Amino acid sequence: LDSAAMDLEERSIEELPDRCQNCGAKLTDAEKQTALESGAALVLCTTCAAEQVPLADEGEEAAADY
């Protein structure tokens, strides 16, 4: 159980990358805070985060194009 508790440790802004993990843009403190609050695996800038489509929705959009 100790290893599971260690996996759930909270990150701090200082531990996050300085750049978007998708496009490389410099992250603002607000973008880093959003990543902390959402618990996202990837730290993304606002633009890249807005472009993210959940996989379930992505399939539905492709089907709608036909």
Side-chain angles (χ1 to χ4, degrees):
L1 292 182
D2 289 334
S3 63
M6 292 175 73
D7 291 340
L8 298 176
E9 286 183 27
E10 291 188 28
R11 298 185 290 179
S12 68
I13 285 181
E14 292 81 24
E15 295 170 337
L16 295 175
D18 288 331
R19 301 207 167 264
C20 173
Q21 292 181 292
N22 186 49
C23 71
K26 185 162 175 55
L27 296 169
T28 65
D29 287 341
E31 291 166 335
K32 290 180 183 181
Q33 188 63 37
T34 298
L36 285 176
E37 291 171 358
S38 69
L42 291 176
V43 181
L44 302 174
C45 68
T46 303
T47 302
C48 290
E51 293 174 353
Q52 293 295 307
V53 177
L55 292 178
D57 291 346
E58 192 172 85
E60 292 171 11
E61 287 180 11
D65 290 339
Y66 291 111

